[in-house]
Each structure stands twice: as C-alpha cells, then as structure tokens.
Amino acid sequence: MKRAKGDLALLVGTGLAMALILVALTALFGVVLVEGVPRLDLAFFVEAPDADMTGGGIGPALVGTALVTLLMTVAGVPVGVATGIWLAEYAPRAGAWGPRLAAVVRGAVANLAGVPSIVFGLFGLGFFVLFVGGQLDALLHGPDAPPIWAQPGLLWAGPTLSVLTLPVVIVTTEEALRAVPGPLREAALGVGATRFQTTFRIVLPRAASGIWTGVALAVGRGAGEVAPILFTAAANYLPSLPNDPRDMFMHLGYHVYALATQSPNVDAARPTLFATALVLLSLSFALSSVAMVLRARARSAT
Amino acid sequence: MSAPSAKLVVEQLAVSDGQREVVRDVSFSLPERSVTALIGPSGCGKRTVLRALNRMHDEVPEARVSGRVLLEGEDLYAPDVDAVEVRRLIGMVFQKPNPFPKSIFENVAFGLRVGGLRGKAALAERVEEALRHAALFDEVKDRLGHSALELSGGQQQRLCIARALAVRPEVLLLDEPTSALDPIATEAIEGLVGRLRDDMTLAIVTHSMAQARRVADHVAFFYLGDLVEHGPTERVFEHPADERTAAYVKGRFG
C-alpha cells in the first residue's frame, strides 16, 4: 500500500505546524519557568516590592488583582447572564420588535468583543472616572470641589474590566440556554408553569455548567488584562494595600509591564519579572482549566 | 342514547404559522369523559389543532390562532384569559417522554410547586395520587428520590402522564404518546388512557389507525389542514362519509 502524495504532504504540513506550536509553548514556558522558579518562595507572595523593584515580593499586586477581578465579576456577570437570558428566552417571544431588538443587541455584543482593550481603558477613564466620578463629586461636594471620586481607583477599574468581559458572558449564556432541549420547556409550560418559572426552575439549572464555563473564561480573560486598568486604577508602585474602593492598587499584569520597562535596573529585576509573569500565567491557566472542566461537565450532561 | 355533553368545543379554529394557514375552519367538540382521536396523514394539521387546545401556540412567536376554543362555554382565547391557567386545566403529554433531569418525585411535584402548593405532606400525597393514577406508583415507590432519567422509556412516559395528572386537569391532550415506545409499553399507556376516560376528557393524536380504534370513542380525521370528518370511532371506520376518509382508514395512503 502506497501513501498518496497529497496525503503525505498534508501529514508533514500539519505535523510541522503542530511542532511549531509545541516549540513555541515550550520556549515560552521554559524561559518563564527557568528564570522565574528560583525567585519563588513564600515571602515572594506576601511581601511588597522593594523601592527599586528588584527585591521584595508581589503581595500588593496579588491582592490588587484579586480585588479588581472580584469587583469585575460582581459588576459584570449578573448583567451578562441577564442579557443572555433575555436574548435566548424572552426576546424571541416578545412580539414583533423583540427579535429585531435582539439582533441589534447581538450586533452590539459582537462589536464590543472586537474593541481593542486599550479603548476600554479610555472608555473607563472618560465614562466611569471622569463622568460618573465627576457627577458624584458635583453632587456630594459641590461643583468646584477638588476631585475625590473622579480619580482612578479600584471602584472604576472593576466596572471597566467587566464591560470587556461582557461579550463572553452574554454569548456563552445565550448558547448554553439554547442548548437546553425545547421539549423540557414545553413540559414545564404544559403543567402550567409561567415563562419565568420555566426559565429559572428548569432551563437555567440545566444550562448552569455552560454558563459557569463562560464566567470562568471571562474571569480568566479579565484577570490578565492590563490596558483597561492603565488609566483607571493601576499604580506603578504602591506597597500599601488599598483600604478604600477609591484607592489605586498594584496589579500583576501591570507589575510585569512596570518591572520590564520602569525598573531603574532592568537586569537586576529580571528574576522578579519572570517570577511575576509565572504567577500571572499560572492564574490564567488555573481559570481556563476550570472553564475546561466545566465545559466537559456541560457536555456530558446533555 | 342521549348525546354526551361537550367538554371542549372548537369553533372555526384556524392556525397560521406566519406564512400560511396550517389548519382552517375546524369545528368539532370533545365529549365529556371520552377519548377523541385526531388522525390523518403527516402534515394534515392534527398536531397543530391539538396544541391550539391548551394555547401551546402562544410560545411560537409567528403563530396566529383565530376562532374559539370553549371549555365549558368559556373562550380560552378571550383577551382576559391567562394561558398559564388554561394549561393547568388542560394538560399535555408529548410525543417523546420529556422528564425533567430531576428526581421522580420532583418531576411529579413540579406542576404542584409552580402552582403554589407547599407542605411536604400535601405534596407527597398528591404525588402518590398522580403516580397511582398513572399506574406507575408500585414500580417506583422505593426510589422516588432517584433520577427520572433512570426509568425506561415507557416508565418515563407514564411519569410524564403522572406529572400532567398531578395538577388535576379536566382535559388531557396526548400528542402521539406511544410513538417512541415498544409494543408492551404502548399497551400499558393505552390501558391507562382507557381508565383515565372514566373521570376526564382526553384527546389523542395518533398515527396508528389500530391505536385509534383501540382507545378512541370518537375520531376526527384531518387532511391537508381541513377537518374532513368527525364522529364515533365505529361509524368513521366502518362507514366513512367522505371518500378521503375511506381511503385513509383503509390504508390506501398516509
């Protein structure tokens, strides 16, 4: 039996592509691991960085990342899930204008997903910090008071990031709901359940693992983003933890950038830089693994 | 023999799917405490008519229903009538068994819970009543907490019937309830339908002429969106008035 020529070419071509991916991944991780691991110890996770950014740890950046990610999730996920529910369950049955409005919303969501993250940063600065914050200042302290709310801070970085993660949450929620078999809805409606009861007691539980997959993906994406918090909260060097939602904070992703470009001694900061990158990578990986496990569970449930 | 009173009266029912009329000018009635079979070839509109009887078309955005459906004289399509209330009075069992991915108990209790019934004892009592009614209780009484998906297809369909019966509807609509089942499970469902007739009104859509003969007191034959003929089962099968009915019941098409 002779292998056809085209078949062989395809095998070699796809094999090379796969090898390239493997080499790239190994190189990336290899460097980060080799350079970063020796720098890791318990103190690294707890301590604040030294003033010249070569020693100390990443404690404040870890806490800052956790806080802003939490705030982002709390601010964004409910809105995203609710939008997904409306798109899948209510819009198609909301008369003549429902499907049209849904088409507009879907278009908007698709466009939102394509917006470069730096633009979200500018939006966050313009809308949340200057507009919403400015209005609050004017309302609470009069028109000429110095800005108290209208300053970059945790409070504004969370919502800015949540806007960025909305498309993922909305799209996965809608898809998860659509995957729930129609006969289950009919069965519920057929015994006199309202649409609300049908959605919340039958459809949502069935779609839960699909929705959680989207949430995990969105959180994973949002936790690693730097651009949206650039103008809305991230601090270059701020060893104290935020103790007010209006405070600025350190962030892992931004810290990587700061270590790589802002350190007075880039070579001395190198091990710290790679160790920080390693922690950031591990966090992203952990979140996408959670998403993968949830997705597998969602598949086996249907 | 006096004519039995009509439980459900359909007057000039027409249903459109947004593009064309699927059924038109359908008028017939379901006599109280009897089984009426809706028969006819695929695409004749029998299922569309059945689903109009408990306003399931409300869930299809494009569907338009005109005409009247009267339950004991009250028009179910009147503007102030809530479709949810209609479905509590007129239950439905679907073609494929569609139990919820919940326990056997919770499947039957669902309609009671969404209807506002609270209290463990009250729920347990009604669930048992419905399961007994559907001739399933003895088979599942030791595993009410198990997933409904562990049951066989025939048991699942009887569970779906129990789920519909739990809210004590006055009319039960069955949409080809045995088409996904084997002959033994089919026999069990047919026997059940025969017993349910003693205290409720039933309508069943079926593809099987033999099944219509076995379970139905009355037959309505649909063809291409029209109700061609409606009458006692015996009469329609033995002496069809319309030649299209005659051709269908003798198995010449469909």
Side-chain angles (χ1 to χ4, degrees), chain A residues 2-15:
Chain A
K2 249 174 71 178
R3 202 188 277 271
K5 254 192 194 142
D7 210 10
L8 189 69
L10 194 65
L11 180 72
V12 172
T14 52

Coordinates of all heavy atoms in Angstrom, one line a residue, chain A residues 2-15:
Chain A
K2 N 0.7 2.1 -1.0 CA 1.5 3.3 -1.0 C 0.6 4.5 -0.6 O -0.5 4.7 -0.9 CB 1.9 3.6 -2.5 CG 3.5 3.4 -2.6 CD 3.9 3.4 -4.0 CE 3.9 4.8 -4.6 NZ 4.3 4.9 -5.9
R3 N 1.2 5.3 0.3 CA 0.5 6.5 0.7 C 0.5 7.5 -0.4 O 1.5 7.7 -1.1 CB 1.3 7.1 1.9 CG 0.5 8.0 2.8 CD 1.5 8.6 3.8 NE 1.7 7.8 4.9 CZ 1.0 7.8 6.0 NH1 -0.1 8.5 6.1 NH2 1.3 7.0 7.0
A4 N -0.7 8.1 -0.7 CA -0.8 9.1 -1.7 C 0.1 10.3 -1.4 O 0.3 10.6 -0.2 CB -2.2 9.6 -1.9
K5 N 0.6 11.0 -2.5 CA 1.5 12.1 -2.3 C 0.9 13.2 -1.5 O 1.5 13.8 -0.6 CB 2.0 12.6 -3.6 CG 3.4 12.2 -3.9 CD 3.9 12.9 -5.1 CE 5.2 12.3 -5.6 NZ 5.3 12.3 -7.1
G6 N -0.4 13.6 -1.9 CA -1.0 14.7 -1.2 C -1.2 14.4 0.3 O -1.1 15.3 1.1
D7 N -1.5 13.1 0.6 CA -1.7 12.7 1.9 C -0.5 13.0 2.8 O -0.5 13.5 3.9 CB -2.1 11.2 1.9 CG -3.0 10.9 3.1 OD1 -3.5 11.8 3.7 OD2 -3.2 9.7 3.3
L8 N 0.7 12.6 2.2 CA 1.9 12.7 2.9 C 2.2 14.2 3.1 O 2.7 14.6 4.2 CB 3.0 12.1 2.0 CG 4.4 11.9 2.7 CD1 4.3 10.9 3.9 CD2 5.5 11.6 1.7
A9 N 2.0 15.0 2.1 CA 2.3 16.5 2.2 C 1.4 17.1 3.3 O 1.9 17.9 4.1 CB 2.0 17.2 0.9
L10 N 0.2 16.6 3.4 CA -0.7 17.2 4.4 C -0.2 16.8 5.8 O -0.2 17.6 6.7 CB -2.1 16.6 4.2 CG -3.2 17.3 5.0 CD1 -3.3 18.8 4.5 CD2 -4.5 16.6 4.8
L11 N 0.2 15.5 5.9 CA 0.7 15.0 7.2 C 1.9 15.8 7.6 O 2.0 16.2 8.8 CB 1.1 13.5 7.0 CG 1.6 12.8 8.3 CD1 0.4 12.7 9.3 CD2 2.2 11.5 8.0
V12 N 2.9 16.0 6.7 CA 4.1 16.7 7.0 C 3.7 18.2 7.4 O 4.2 18.7 8.4 CB 5.1 16.7 5.9 CG1 6.2 17.6 6.1 CG2 5.6 15.3 5.6
G13 N 2.9 18.8 6.6 CA 2.5 20.2 6.8 C 1.8 20.4 8.2 O 2.3 21.2 9.0
T14 N 0.8 19.6 8.5 CA 0.1 19.7 9.7 C 1.0 19.3 10.9 O 1.0 20.0 12.0 CB -1.2 18.8 9.8 OG1 -0.8 17.5 9.4 CG2 -2.2 19.3 8.8
G15 N 1.9 18.3 10.7 CA 2.8 17.9 11.7 C 3.8 19.0 12.1 O 4.0 19.3 13.2

